[in-house]
Each structure stands twice: as C-alpha cells, then as structure tokens.
Amino acid sequence: MEINSLIDHTNLNASASLLDIKKLCDEAIKYHFASVCVNPIYVKTAKELLKNSTVLVTTTIGFPLGASTIEAKEFEAIDAINNGADEIDMVISIGALKNNDLDYVKKEIETIRDAIDGHTLKVIIETCYLTDKEIASVTKICNETFVNFIKTSTGFGTRGANIHDIEIINENKNDILEIKASGGIKTFKEVEQFMSMGVTRIGTSHGVDIMNESCGECDHEH
C-alpha cells in the first residue's frame, strides 16, 4: 500500500484560517492523500476546493473532548454530512467509558453510525486517558457496532498514538475493524512502524514532511 493513500492530512487548529485550509487541500491534491481532516466549519470549503480530486473530506464530531450529548453529536454529524463530509471522526464520551457505562458508549456510537447513512465512521477513543482494560472494552464495542475504524487520539490529549495502544487494539479487534493511528506522528519511520502493525490510516499534520522523507528514503535505497 502506498503511504500517501493512508494519510488523513489534518489541520484541526482553532486558529486555522481559510488560507490554511486552502493550503491543506492543495497539498492533499498534490500528494494524493486519502483525505483532509478539518473542523466542521470548513467542510463546505474543503469539499469545494477538492471537487475535482479523489481526496475525501473528513471532519470531527464532539471534538476534542467527546463530552457533548448524544443528541448534539448526532445533529453535528448529520450537519457535517449535509455539508459534504465523506468521513466522520467522532470522539466517544470518555467519561462514560471511565464510568464503565459501556451501554452509553455503544448507544452513542450506534446513533452516530445510523445518522450518517453509510458514510465512513472512525471512533476516537483517546487512548492517553484509558487503561488497557478500557481500550480492550471500547475496541470490542467497535467490533459490535460495525464501525469502519477505531482511532487512537484527537491529537489534543496528553499524548498521541503509541505502539502499546495498537497492540491492545489488535488483541481485541475483529478482522473487519480498521485502525487509524493519530496524534504526534511526524516521521516516515513512525508511519512504517504503525503500518507493520496493520494500521490502515494515519492522522497527521506532517503529511508533506513524511512524504518528502519517504521519497528521500526511496532515493537512498536506489
């Protein structure tokens, strides 16, 4: 698999301007990234900028804390799809998971899944706040709800993805569930390591650096 086709080229900064989003989309087209990941306010803009390309539009729901109600997340998700989003990255209620209220977490995921009418759903679990047991529990919920991806991190927590998180997910996921690693991924070597563990999507704001580095490796090898 080509590395560029794994990358969700991301700018979720609070201060991201229209110029920043245009740059993000231009880079995504140039490098044929899987998608751009933008905050909901920029979904329409990104969709328009990418209309003649194969690059998808990903947006975030309940971001970055996951602490809004199911109803609010549902509305936000439907609104995002109506505005042209192709893929939805939703943050679970981390508090509900910490309370061991697995029924709530499952209901929340199912509600968003059903609301987005077959579009790709990635479930952000924010591993930095979770125990191994909690990561295992929420991975099993993702199996049961038939979502497309489990995603490690928002990039706004205390740390991003690490190898141990992926190991726990791999031990508990079924064959269908895919993994998106995100948060703090900056180098080609890191991407290679995650790929070797079966990760099929990478969320990063360093996509261009990673591609340049990977091409440097190509030159070096040949």
Side-chain angles (χ1 to χ4, degrees):
M1 190 179 274
E2 292 293 320
I3 197 169
N4 57 321
S5 66
L6 275 66
I7 291 177
D8 287 347
H9 192 38
T10 303
N11 188 338
L12 296 168
N13 294 327
S15 59
S17 67
L18 275 169
L19 279 175
D20 295 328
I21 300 304
K22 184 172 188 319
K23 178 172 181 275
L24 188 81
C25 291
D26 288 345
E27 289 168 348
I29 292 168
K30 178 181 176 182
Y31 290 98
H32 303 284
F33 289 137
S35 82
V36 297
C37 187
V38 296
N39 280 309
I41 194 171
Y42 285 129
V43 167
K44 275 186 180 172
T45 303
K47 191 70 175 177
E48 179 63 24
L49 289 167
L50 296 167
K51 67 182 177 189
N52 296 319
S53 77
T54 58
V55 181
L56 301 175
V57 178
T58 299
T59 195
T60 52
I61 300 302
F63 194 85
L65 302 177
S68 39
T69 62
I70 293 176
E71 293 78 9
K73 289 180 187 177
E74 182 182 18
F75 178 88
E76 200 178 6
I78 292 167
D79 185 56
I81 297 298
N82 288 342
N83 287 334
D86 301 294
E87 302 190 341
I88 297 293
D89 289 20
M90 70 165 281
V91 190
I92 62 160
S93 170
I94 299 153
L97 183 58
K98 301 303 285 185
N99 297 336
N100 200 35
D101 190 349
L102 303 182
D103 289 341
Y104 183 95
V105 176
K106 187 171 184 180
K107 182 186 176 194
E108 175 179 61
I109 293 169
E110 287 176 335
T111 301
I112 305 307
R113 178 202 67 197
D114 294 348
I116 63 173
D117 199 26
H119 287 76
T120 296
L121 180 58
K122 309 186 199 105
V123 174
I124 308 175
I125 64 171
E126 202 68 292
T127 53
C128 63
Y129 299 129
L130 305 181
T131 63
D132 290 358
K133 183 170 181 283
E134 287 162 347
I135 294 173
S137 295
V138 75
T139 302
K140 287 168 185 166
I141 291 172
C142 288
N143 291 338
E144 292 163 11
T145 51
F146 299 102
V147 297
N148 304 90
F149 287 84
I150 186 167
K151 176 177 168 182
T152 60
S153 322
T154 61
F156 289 78
T158 52
R159 64 164 176 81
N162 69 21
I163 297 303
H164 182 68
D165 297 337
I166 306 299
E167 286 171 346
I168 303 292
I169 292 168
N170 271 327
E171 283 166 18
N172 291 279
K173 79 174 198 70
N174 62 19
D175 292 341
I176 301 165
L177 184 65
E178 296 185 65
I179 305 172
K180 176 175 172 178
S182 61
I185 301 170
K186 299 177 180 178
T187 68
F188 177 60
K189 287 271 188 289
E190 287 171 305
V191 173
E192 276 193 317
Q193 192 168 17
F194 284 123
M195 284 173 71
S196 74
M197 299 184 73
V199 169
T200 51
R201 200 69 76 85
I202 299 286
T204 180
S205 56
H206 297 273
V208 173
D209 295 337
I210 289 166
M211 291 307 297
N212 290 337
E213 195 186 336
S214 74
C215 289
E217 297 273 330
C218 305
D219 295 340
H220 182 66
E221 282 166 12
H222 297 105

